[in-house]
Amino acid sequence: MDTSLTVLGACPLDCPDTCSWVVTVRDGEAVSLRGNREHPYTRGALCVKVNRYLEHTRAADRLLYPLRRTGPKGSGRFERITWDEALSEIAGRLTAIVAEHGGEAIWPYQGTGTLGYVQGETGEAGRRFWNVLGASRHDLNICSRAGNDGLRYVYGTPGGMDPETFALSKLILLWGTNTLTSGHHLWKFVQDARAAGAYVVAIDPIRTRTADQADEHLPIRPGTDAALALGLLHVVLEEGAEDRDYIERHTLGWEEFAAEIAKYPVERVAEITGLPADRIRALGVRLAHTRPTGIRATMGIQRHEGGGAAMRAIACIPGVTGDWRYPGGGVAYSTSAHVPLRADTREDLLPHPVRTLTMTRLADGLDESVKCLWVYAANPLGSTSDQNRIRAALSRDDLFTVVMEQFPTDTVDYADIVLPSTMQTEHLDVHAGYGHMYLMWNEPAVEPPGECLSTTETFRRLARQMGLTEPSLYDTDLEIAEQLLGPAGISLEEIRKQGWVRLGVADPFVPFTEGFPTPSGRLEFVSERAGAAGLPRVAGYTPSLTARTAPGDRPHPLTLVTPASHTFLNTTFANNPELLRRSKGPRVLVNPADAAARGLTDGQPVRVFNANGEFTADVEISDRVAPGVVAAPKGHWPKLSAGGANPNAVVDERDADMGRGAVYHDNFVDVAPL
């Protein structure tokens, strides 16, 4: 007799698609995992990475027990200890730190290893505990903040199109997004649109998998996207195709913005972007006369010094063309703002106001005032800018570092105490995709291996060890889920039974039909809030560092971009032997002209370097990048790479124009043979 059962869950990883999945369990073991065929966005498919998730949960290097460091920091030498020993030591150290230095000496460094509302960053898991201690706030700004802020200045929210409505678009601009690698479920809706006659354009410095499949690829110079947006609008105005009725009824600041557009004729934009003028003009004419136009722009586009301005300028396009009138028209960046869930992190538990420490400034922020760094769902030594300075900061003898992890990452090697954490098939969680309009339920399918504990259970046990009496610290996972769903009017029973529910919006969903959540209630081409923040009042072009620096003033001649890998998700899965093999190892794409100038041959090991440091990679000579641009996919663990570093060794710890966003695609480097 078959005793198997199926358990509904959701992918926890930092991807817009947040897939619904089905786990088959037999005799207490998860034996298969597939995409949920009933889910309207997942449609039964998982990605090449997550298809190996069950294999990953059983990996030989999975952390299963608490560990205490026995060697020097960075050595990765540990001894197994009990949970009682680990919690006792941690409780004693935290109590002493709070007593001597105050709670703000603790930095809870949470990442996007899981996006759950119960266990992960979306719900700020553990924040109630940290508030009771008066710990510093953690500003989790590394992923999308610059773009979010740019969109807010125009729309009042980063929320936009329902990606499913791309099936109704007649022109699709995939702008700075590699859909087939980072969110491939959207491609089904793009294909539906193409079957109905839509034209698809990829705008990207790299000829990606997605660009290969598009009708047209525009290899834009990194950091110049806002200039292209203004140049396309210049053509729209030349064609007399602006939607005057929409502009008059639904926007603010048109005359000033029109004057800004006038500064960007096609010839000037061609010089800025490196694109041929005739192709800019042709796309501008197509944009002028094609309704609806849907624009998909994701997080890579805003990881430079002008990233917020880039998203702000792109967001203005459908305000000029009137595309927000139509299903399939507008901009899709993130759907998170449409989600009605609000985690109750109990800010009232703070004993006094506390400082905020910024995720993208770990090297600067990890100074002598920080006595405890608590890392969870994050691998900053593999994922964060200025890797060498972070390594030095983590080496401080007086820094007490606790890492909650599933695998022995580079960051784990610098921990004093390591706590083994559960994976998605082993705990309860609630998720919302930032690339679709559904809430997801994740039911635990199997018992955790070894002595792994969930994030919530770890903090419950630590609170008990420290004698904390605040009742909310002991809420169960189901109680936390009910606190999330109840105020939003979502039935716990319904979502738990089906595995997902659609957000309470129309289908098809056309946002902003009742106005924009801006101070004026209109789409704002001109923002007084931006002016008050020291930014330009009028949406425009803020060039990246590499775009605005003259060749003679560059410390190194090449611009580095670090795109997502097809086989890893950030650094997750980068220790999986099969996915590591498929990645072909660390590599750097170099244009044939740049390779010839340096005497490089295909497959040759090289060092990519600047004043911050260097990493080692094999050269892939390819016209997928333009002269002057090199691309090194992110995600490889430094400790598993030749030279012990990855591209973040050369990435500046520098701020974007908005939200202190990261600048992963805005760095000068050179390449030389080893």
Side-chain angles (χ1 to χ4, degrees), residues 181-255:
T181 283
S182 301
H184 73 90
H185 292 79
L186 178 67
W187 194 252
K188 297 182 180 72
F189 301 97
V190 173
Q191 287 177 313
D192 290 343
R194 292 176 94 173
Y199 190 80
V200 179
V201 181
I203 303 170
D204 199 302
I206 306 170
R207 196 176 77 247
T208 62
R209 292 169 181 260
T210 303
D212 283 340
Q213 297 299 316
D215 296 301
E216 182 177 1
H217 170 223
L218 293 180
I220 191 170
R221 182 173 291 142
T224 64
D225 303 276
L228 178 59
L230 295 167
L232 294 175
L233 288 176
H234 196 284
V235 178
V236 171
L237 296 188
E238 287 178 341
E239 294 287 304
E242 69 273 21
D243 188 331
R244 285 284 179 174
D245 176 71
Y246 189 87
I247 290 169
E248 182 177 339
R249 294 173 56 197
H250 300 291
T251 74
L252 178 73
W254 169 243
E255 296 302 327

Side-chain angles (χ1 to χ4, degrees), residues 43-130:
R43 295 186 180 182
L46 300 175
C47 68
V48 67
K49 302 172 274 284
V50 175
N51 274 328
R52 309 192 80 87
Y53 194 84
L54 291 186
E55 172 189 305
H56 207 50
T57 67
R58 296 188 286 265
D61 58 344
R62 176 91 187 262
L63 297 174
L64 300 177
Y65 304 98
L67 303 172
R68 179 193 290 124
R69 179 171 58 84
T70 58
K73 289 193 173 186
S75 67
R77 300 209 304 266
F78 297 93
E79 64 179 356
R80 177 178 168 181
I81 57 176
T82 67
W83 268 101
D84 285 344
E85 290 174 309
L87 294 174
S88 177
E89 182 169 340
I90 292 168
R93 294 291 295 268
L94 292 182
T95 299
I97 287 169
V98 172
E100 184 175 354
H101 304 284
E104 289 174 285
I106 303 168
W107 186 348
Y109 192 97
Q110 185 176 24
T112 59
T114 172
L115 302 187
Y117 275 91
V118 178
Q119 309 294 345
E121 67 88 16
T122 313
E124 295 186 66
R127 188 65 231 174
R128 295 177 184 180
F129 175 84
W130 300 122

Side-chain angles (χ1 to χ4, degrees), residues 546-599:
T546 55
R548 72 171 182 265
T549 305
D553 296 330
R554 297 182 172 204
H556 298 286
L558 303 174
T559 297
L560 172 71
V561 294
T562 60
S565 165
H566 194 70
T567 51
F568 313 145
L569 206 157
N570 301 325
T571 62
T572 301
F573 301 114
N575 60 321
N576 180 282
E578 175 58 20
L579 294 176
L580 193 57
R581 183 191 68 79
R582 293 187 192 184
S583 77
K584 300 178 183 178
R587 58 195 173 91
V588 58
L589 275 67
V590 181
N591 183 272
D594 294 321
R598 290 160 178 79

Side-chain angles (χ1 to χ4, degrees), residues 389-551:
R389 289 180 61 219
I390 291 173
R391 193 184 300 276
L394 290 175
S395 300
R396 280 175 37 205
D397 288 333
D398 66 329
L399 178 68
F400 179 56
T401 301
V402 178
V403 179
M404 299 165 65
E405 247 297 352
Q406 300 156 354
F407 294 97
T409 65
D410 290 82
T411 306
V412 163
D413 287 348
Y414 287 81
D416 294 287
I417 299 289
V418 181
L419 302 178
S421 56
T422 49
M423 296 180 70
Q424 187 74 348
T425 51
E426 302 153 7
H427 58 228
L428 179 153
D429 217 334
V430 176
H431 290 264
Y434 62 88
H436 60 60
M437 306 295 287
Y438 300 91
L439 293 178
M440 326 284 280
W441 180 266
N442 185 78
E443 188 77 15
V446 295
E447 291 297 317
E451 297 177 5
C452 296
L453 294 181
S454 67
T455 300
T456 48
E457 181 60 19
T458 299
F459 284 116
R460 283 190 286 262
R461 293 193 186 188
L462 182 56
R464 192 171 293 111
Q465 180 73 35
M466 296 183 71
L468 302 179
T469 58
E470 166 54 41
S472 67
L473 299 182
Y474 302 99
D475 286 348
T476 67
D477 291 357
L478 270 177
E479 287 171 334
I480 295 170
E482 288 172 338
Q483 292 160 13
L484 280 163
L485 299 171
I490 297 166
S491 164
L492 175 63
E493 292 73 21
E494 179 187 355
I495 191 173
R496 198 172 185 183
K497 179 180 179 181
Q498 183 172 260
W500 53 274
V501 296
R502 183 171 168 84
L503 301 182
V505 297
D507 188 7
F509 174 53
V510 180
F512 313 129
T513 55
E514 304 300 321
F516 293 82
T518 57
S520 66
R522 292 167 169 255
L523 183 153
E524 296 188 354
F525 298 127
V526 175
S527 170
E528 298 304 330
R529 290 175 299 145
L535 298 164
R537 291 173 58 257
V538 184
Y541 168 48
T542 300
S544 67
L545 172 67
T546 55
R548 72 171 182 265
T549 305

